[in-house]
């Protein structure tokens, strides 16, 4: 089963990478075959080639992030989900306003120990997906905080109805509601990266399809160090003493 899944992933990745390359080659061949080429035609082709390049870059970046996460953690530092969520909201603000999507935030400190790059990518992916796959005039709610020894991030958005049997497929690479990614809205790796990062951090991921459309996705991580007090893995110093009293000793 794992081997078949890996083969399917490689086949899908190869297809997704070849698609923009084929598009660029076709665009260039068509315009170069014309006996005369106007400046307007060349500018149009350059713009479309640039879009295809951006698509290729996004796919490669997503694959590299997925590979990094699947390798497991090689570094741990203090990361606050609250700050990461605020940054993600700021970055998606323009796209949200363009579609009249209202983003509501209820953010409190939510510290965890982990890979900063991966955690920030997880948060950015969840907020970006909530805006990207929403409806015009929709809404997004982002919440962070701590509860019973865990830090959590919850992102809820309006959107199309998601059949319960199709929910799990959203976290598989290169799929969206059980179909391949073909409309250019994304590269189909956002939620698979989220799932991989959660696993790498020994966290918990819960996704719920809402009855009126859209999703609620919640991720939870332990707020305490998963190693004995007094050890120093990956350059991080764990201590139960206040910093000032520890410094005095």
């Amino acid at each position: 089963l794992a081997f078949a899944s890996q083969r399917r992933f490689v086949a899908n990745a190869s297809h997704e990478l070849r698609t923009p390359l084929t598009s660029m080659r076709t665009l260039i061949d068509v315009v170069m075959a014309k006996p005369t080429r106007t400046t307007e035609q060349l500018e149009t082709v350059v713009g479309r080639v640039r879009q295809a390049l951006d698509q290729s870059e996004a796919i490669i970046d997503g694959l590299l992030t997925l590979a990094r996460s699947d390798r497991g953690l090689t570094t741990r530092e203090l990361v606050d989900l609250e700050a990461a969520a605020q940054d993600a909201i700021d970055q998606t603000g323009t796209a949200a306003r363009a579609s009249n999507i209202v983003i509501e935030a209820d953010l409190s400190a939510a510290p965890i120990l982990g890979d900063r790059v991966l955690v920030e990518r997880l948060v950015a992916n969840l907020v970006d997906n909530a805006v990207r796959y929403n409806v015009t005039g929709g809404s997004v709610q982002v919440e962070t905080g701590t509860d019973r020894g865990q830090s959590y991030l919850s992102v809820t958005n309006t959107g199309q109805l998601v059949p319960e049997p199709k929910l799990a497929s959203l976290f598989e690479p290169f799929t969206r509601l059980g179909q391949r990614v073909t409309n250019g809205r994304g590269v189909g790796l956002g939620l698979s990266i989220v799932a991989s990062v959660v696993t790498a951090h020994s966290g918990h991921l819960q996704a719920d399809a809402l009855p009126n459309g859209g999703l609620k996705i919640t991720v939870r991580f332990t707020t305490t160090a998963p190693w004995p007090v007094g050890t120093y893995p990956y350059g991080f110093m764990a201590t139960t003493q206040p910093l000032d009293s520890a410094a005095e000793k």
Side-chain angles (χ1 to χ4, degrees), residues 7-17 173-175 180:
R7 288 184 60 184
R8 185 169 60 252
F9 172 79
V10 171
N12 288 343
S14 298
H15 174 82
E16 295 296 334
L17 286 169
F174 305 114
T175 60
R180 292 188 55 77

Side-chain angles (χ1 to χ4, degrees), residues 45-247:
V45 169
V46 169
R48 293 174 66 182
V49 168
R50 175 59 185 268
Q51 291 177 350
L53 284 171
D54 289 343
Q55 183 78 354
S56 297
E57 185 178 21
I59 293 171
I60 293 170
D61 177 64
L63 289 171
L64 290 174
T65 302
L66 194 59
R68 173 176 177 170
S69 180
D70 286 346
R71 284 199 310 267
L73 301 185
T74 58
T75 181
R76 286 186 175 92
E77 61 180 301
L78 188 63
V79 188
D80 195 343
L81 296 176
E82 178 187 15
Q86 187 60 65
D87 288 344
I89 291 170
D90 293 341
Q91 291 169 7
T92 56
T94 300
R97 288 190 293 271
S99 297
N100 295 320
I101 295 171
V102 176
I103 301 179
E104 300 175 353
D106 182 9
L107 306 180
S108 300
I112 68 171
L113 291 171
D115 184 311
R116 178 177 298 277
V117 173
L118 293 179
V119 171
E120 290 179 349
R121 181 63 178 268
L122 173 152
V123 177
N125 282 4
L126 285 178
V127 177
D128 179 73
N129 272 30
V131 172
R132 186 186 300 268
Y133 300 108
N134 213 310
V135 293
T136 301
S139 64
V140 176
Q141 291 84 42
V142 183
E143 182 180 354
T144 64
T146 57
D147 177 41
R148 291 177 292 183
Q150 292 185 318
S151 289
Y152 67 87
L153 163 71
S154 178
V155 179
T156 306
N157 68 290
T158 52
Q160 68 182 103
L161 285 170
V162 180
E164 194 69 32
K166 300 292 186 180
L167 187 57
S169 71
L170 296 180
F171 295 87
E172 297 177 3
F174 305 114
T175 60
R176 181 167 58 252
L177 291 184
Q179 299 176 355
R180 292 188 55 77
V181 176
T182 57
N183 66 2
R185 296 180 68 187
V187 299
L189 291 171
L191 292 182
S192 62
I193 289 173
V194 167
S196 179
V197 174
V198 171
T199 298
H201 288 78
S202 300
H204 176 74
L205 168 65
Q206 180 175 343
D208 298 294
L210 303 180
N212 295 322
L215 294 171
K216 178 178 182 180
I217 300 177
T218 302
V219 293
R220 293 180 176 273
F221 305 94
T222 181
T223 59
T224 56
W227 45 76
V229 171
T231 61
Y232 309 94
Y234 308 111
F236 184 87
M237 178 176 175
T239 177
T240 57
Q241 301 181 69
L243 292 179
D244 52 351
S245 62

